[in-house]
Amino acid sequence: MTTSRPLRADAVRNRALLLAAAADEFAEHGLDASVADIARRAGIGKGTVFRHFPTKDDLIAAIVLDRIEALGAIGERLLHSEDAGAALLEFLAAAGDQRRQRDLSFLQEAGDALPEVVQARTRMFQTINALVDRAREHGAIRRDITGTDVILLMCAPNYVTSYVPGASPDLWQRYLAIIFDGLRPEGAHTLPQPPPDAL
Amino acid sequence: MTTSRPLRADAVRNRALLLAAAADEFAEHGLDASVADIARRAGIGKGTVFRHFPTKDDLIAAIVLDRIEALGAIGERLLHSEDAGAALLEFLAAAGDQRRQRDLSFLQEAGDALPEVVQARTRMFQTINALVDRAREHGAIRRDITGTDVILLMCAPNYVTSYVPGASPDLWQRYLAIIFDGLRPEGAHTLPQPPPDAL
DNA sequence: TAACAAGTTGACCGCTCGGTCCGTTTATCG
DNA sequence: CGATAAACGGACCGAGCGGTCAACTTGTTA
């Protein structure tokens, strides 16, 4: 792996500008936001975008990678927390908070371009599995819930609130709380379907 | 409102073919499915599609309208059921079952084109509110849950399972069960955010 | 400061999409 | 039948997209 020459000063500034603008634009208009709009918002030319990221998917992947790694770090820190149940809930809250705005859905849709993303995602999924295992052992969540269940449900609060026009940006917390109550052992009913294979 | 002339025989057949093909195509490829592909699948010309529906959104709206009315009818029937809690759960199961395949998200994204869709949706929302009110009065669900909460959460099971590649088509039932457990009174924790205004 | 490589830019390309249009086909009915 | 209007179909159009390129600008370095 050759590190080649260091980036020129204006190039690193433009790269940062570009990533910030792209994140904003994706947050507002979804993944369909056009590269031209992103470039305009960043105050740079369209060609420059493609010099930094050979394809639009690579740009998306770069942003997604950031998010995944940040969330993964939070998860690993919470792995050493005292209260395993609270740790899981806190992780889910961090996930919801990070994805406040429009979805970047880091599960499948995008990012399969870069293998780094797949790798980071796999790593984060393992962290979540560990978090869930601990919570289950501590009796904080019901026995029939797997890590994959939590991974899937993780995105739901932001999804359901994305349909509410003038909602509070924290509304997702309400649905996280409801769903988390569904994960608790108290008053749990047997589930009609087995859990899916790990992702 | 003039009913004008009755439709020609081949026209009604093509219309049915078109609607079926469109539903299939949307189910497979999402709302981005192209009109050309739909026409090819239906075995008719692209121009014919636009003769039946002046715009792609109108085609979507027609399908969505069907679904909403079917689901609304189920809801109204369940309104007279004995067990109010079971009725709500059954309604949610019907909703999930109908939307098995890819989402047609009849909440916001599409269908605002036709005022009929808005009207049918409003009507169905009222039915859901009534269903939820009854379930709450019977103590089948917790007191702090509103009809709007249920409307939002209704879509979640299908959404979360849409990310699982080779999953069973019934996997959504697992997540409906989990979420519904979160709506039950037993072991409920207070919610951090107030419910959103009615849609 | 001179010279070069790295970076920037916007016109441009090919493609796909939703939607239009008009020549052709066909169901309908006196 | 034969006439007529309704329905059909696919070539066509303009807009917008992701991505390319060659001329131009600028940070860097000896």
Side-chain angles (χ1 to χ4, degrees):
Chain A
M1 188 60 67
T2 57
T3 333
S4 70
R5 294 292 174 77
L7 232 53
R8 232 168 66 174
D10 58 342
V12 313
R13 199 196 59 229
N14 279 341
R15 192 176 199 275
L17 245 40
L18 167 57
L19 281 170
D24 287 350
E25 203 71 16
F26 286 138
E28 280 180 22
H29 304 105
L31 268 340
D32 299 337
S34 79
V35 175
D37 284 345
I38 292 171
R40 198 174 308 121
R41 184 163 189 149
I44 64 179
K46 197 169 76 151
T48 307
V49 175
F50 287 102
R51 159 161 273 265
H52 286 282
F53 301 97
T55 189
K56 185 186 176 181
D57 281 340
D58 287 312
L59 170 57
I60 296 172
I63 296 176
V64 166
L65 186 62
D66 262 6
R67 304 284 178 109
I68 291 180
E69 285 178 343
L71 201 52
I74 293 175
E76 282 170 28
R77 187 156 43 74
L78 286 168
L79 223 39
H80 310 110
S81 165
E82 298 256 332
D83 185 338
L88 179 59
L89 183 53
E90 201 173 318
F91 174 80
L92 292 174
D97 194 50
Q98 188 187 59
R99 304 164 11 108
R100 239 210 206 85
Q101 297 130 337
R102 197 76 159 257
D103 196 11
L104 293 181
S105 70
F106 45 71
L107 277 90
Q108 293 286 103
E109 289 191 33
D112 289 10
L114 268 65
E116 309 169 52
V117 174
V118 176
Q119 185 186 334
R121 190 170 54 199
T122 303
R123 190 178 150 91
M124 189 189 68
F125 282 1
Q126 285 172 345
T127 303
I128 295 176
N129 275 313
L131 239 23
V132 171
D133 286 344
R134 280 190 68 218
R136 194 189 310 105
E137 287 164 16
H138 281 239
I141 62 170
R142 47 206 283 189
R143 263 194 243 288
D144 50 1
I145 294 293
T146 71
T148 304
D149 286 329
V150 173
I151 289 169
L152 292 178
L153 287 168
M154 181 170 62
C155 310
N158 297 86
Y159 170 71
V160 302
T161 52
S162 72
Y163 286 114
V164 189
S168 151
D170 293 328
L171 183 59
W172 60 270
Q173 295 174 2
R174 178 176 178 86
Y175 300 101
L176 171 55
I178 293 174
I179 291 171
F180 197 81
D181 275 357
L183 299 178
R184 302 187 128 106
E186 305 96 27
H189 292 57
T190 49
L191 299 174
Q193 292 284 327
D197 294 338
L199 301 173
Chain B
M1 190 58 66
T2 56
T3 332
S4 70
R5 293 293 176 76
L7 233 50
R8 232 170 66 175
D10 58 344
V12 312
R13 198 196 60 228
N14 279 340
R15 193 177 199 275
L17 247 37
L18 167 56
L19 281 171
D24 287 349
E25 202 72 15
F26 286 140
E28 281 180 23
H29 304 105
L31 268 338
D32 299 337
S34 79
V35 175
D37 284 345
I38 292 171
R40 199 173 309 122
R41 184 166 190 147
I44 63 178
K46 199 169 74 152
T48 306
V49 176
F50 287 103
R51 158 162 275 263
H52 285 282
F53 302 98
T55 190
K56 184 186 178 180
D57 282 340
D58 288 313
L59 171 56
I60 295 172
I63 296 176
V64 166
L65 186 61
D66 261 5
R67 306 283 179 109
I68 291 180
E69 285 179 342
L71 200 52
I74 293 176
E76 280 169 31
R77 186 155 43 75
L78 286 168
L79 223 39
H80 310 110
S81 164
E82 298 256 331
D83 185 339
L88 179 59
L89 183 53
E90 201 173 323
F91 174 80
L92 293 174
D97 194 51
Q98 188 185 61
R99 302 164 12 108
R100 240 208 205 85
Q101 296 131 338
R102 196 78 160 253
D103 196 11
L104 293 182
S105 69
F106 46 70
L107 276 90
Q108 294 286 103
E109 290 190 34
D112 289 11
L114 269 65
E116 310 170 51
V117 174
V118 176
Q119 184 186 334
R121 190 168 56 200
T122 303
R123 190 178 150 91
M124 189 190 66
F125 282 0
Q126 286 172 344
T127 303
I128 295 176
N129 276 313
L131 238 23
V132 170
D133 286 345
R134 279 190 69 217
R136 195 190 308 105
E137 285 165 16
H138 281 238
I141 62 170
R142 46 205 286 187
R143 261 193 246 288
D144 50 2
I145 294 293
T146 70
T148 305
D149 287 329
V150 173
I151 289 168
L152 293 178
L153 287 168
M154 181 171 62
C155 310
N158 296 87
Y159 170 71
V160 303
T161 53
S162 72
Y163 286 115
V164 188
S168 151
D170 293 328
L171 183 59
W172 60 271
Q173 293 175 2
R174 179 176 178 86
Y175 300 102
L176 171 56
I178 293 173
I179 291 171
F180 197 81
D181 275 357
L183 298 178
R184 300 186 130 105
E186 305 97 27
H189 292 59
T190 49
L191 299 173
Q193 293 283 327
D197 294 338
L199 301 173

